[in-house]
Amino acid sequence: IPVDIGMDPGVVAPAVVFSQHLPYCHKHGVKDCLHVLDEIVVDDTPLVKMLALIADKMARRGWKKNRVFLDPFGGNSRDQVYGLKVSEVLETAGFDVVFSYDPVETNILNGIESVRSRLFNVDGQRRLFIDTALKQNATSSRNLTRAFAGYRWPERKTGQAAKNNPVHDETSHVMDALRYTVVNLFSAGGVKIL
């Protein structure tokens, strides 16, 4: 099975979301269905160790490498162990790395709206499904199913303008990984040709 990866490669709290895009999902009866199959959320793990965790999970699950979706800023940041760009390390490991510099797609609010529209679109269809094992195995707010509940906006203080982006905390990394997958797979008009 070809499986895509959304990745927030931060060293302190990196996160990976494994997913599969189905042009038509017979199980759910919808087009452009995205199934989140698994995740990796760990602490203090440099990219080289994340790659080993990714490879192990993919081998155990029988998944084939497909694409890694990144934030363009994270993809072009330097790995703290070898000093190489994150995208270069992933490409060397055999991944097809995908990210966009399009300001519409890199805008956090647009990305959040893209994820939301997969959960419930204007036609009332849900096109984002998360494996039930992720909910059963969630042990912290960093796990995807719990991160949805913990994802929040900063409190507005009297006399200050409202902040446009959500709070950057333990829930944001896995949510970012999911957002990178959605914005790089889907455009406002539907599926992108990658």
Side-chain angles (χ1 to χ4, degrees):
I1 302 171
V3 172
D4 291 318
I5 295 171
M7 179 182 231
D8 183 342
V11 174
V12 175
V16 170
V17 173
F18 298 90
S19 64
Q20 188 172 42
H21 169 244
L22 302 172
Y24 182 80
C25 178
H26 294 281
K27 180 177 181 179
H28 300 111
V30 295
K31 293 179 181 178
D32 296 329
C33 195
L34 185 65
H35 289 232
V36 176
L37 308 171
D38 212 334
E39 66 187 345
I40 297 175
V41 288
V42 290
D43 292 319
D44 301 318
T45 307
L47 184 59
V48 67
K49 290 185 179 179
M50 280 300 288
L51 283 174
L53 294 172
I54 291 167
D56 178 64
K57 185 168 291 255
M58 293 187 84
R60 283 186 291 111
R61 300 285 300 260
W63 294 336
K64 178 183 160 196
K65 284 183 191 177
N66 203 21
R67 301 166 290 205
V68 176
F69 299 114
L70 296 171
D71 169 34
F73 310 107
N76 284 306
S77 65
R78 301 277 174 187
D79 172 68
Q80 292 184 357
V81 175
Y82 297 108
L84 299 171
K85 288 182 180 180
V86 170
S87 57
E88 292 170 349
V89 173
L90 291 166
E91 287 169 347
T92 300
F95 290 99
D96 179 17
V97 177
V98 179
F99 54 83
S100 172
Y101 285 109
D102 181 334
V104 172
E105 294 175 359
T106 59
N107 178 284
I108 294 172
L109 295 177
N110 290 346
I112 291 169
E113 178 57 24
S114 293
V115 171
R116 189 215 53 80
S117 73
R118 298 258 132 213
L119 291 170
F120 187 72
N121 72 9
V122 71
D123 297 324
Q125 290 181 319
R126 181 174 169 199
R127 296 175 295 158
L128 173 62
F129 296 88
I130 300 169
D131 192 294
T132 56
L134 292 180
K135 183 175 183 179
Q136 295 164 353
N137 297 330
T139 57
S140 82
S141 60
R142 291 187 50 221
N143 294 104
L144 185 61
T145 58
R146 289 190 178 188
F148 271 104
Y151 205 55
R152 59 192 171 82
W153 300 93
E155 290 183 31
R156 185 174 182 184
K157 296 179 182 171
T158 305
Q160 290 184 351
K163 305 259 182 189
N164 287 333
N165 294 329
V167 172
H168 186 74
D169 62 8
E170 68 278 357
T171 65
S172 65
H173 301 285
V174 72
M175 295 297 284
D176 287 347
L178 177 61
R179 181 169 51 85
Y180 303 152
T181 299
V182 171
V183 299
N184 282 291
L185 261 179
F186 307 101
S187 67
V191 178
K192 290 183 181 182
I193 306 297
L194 298 174

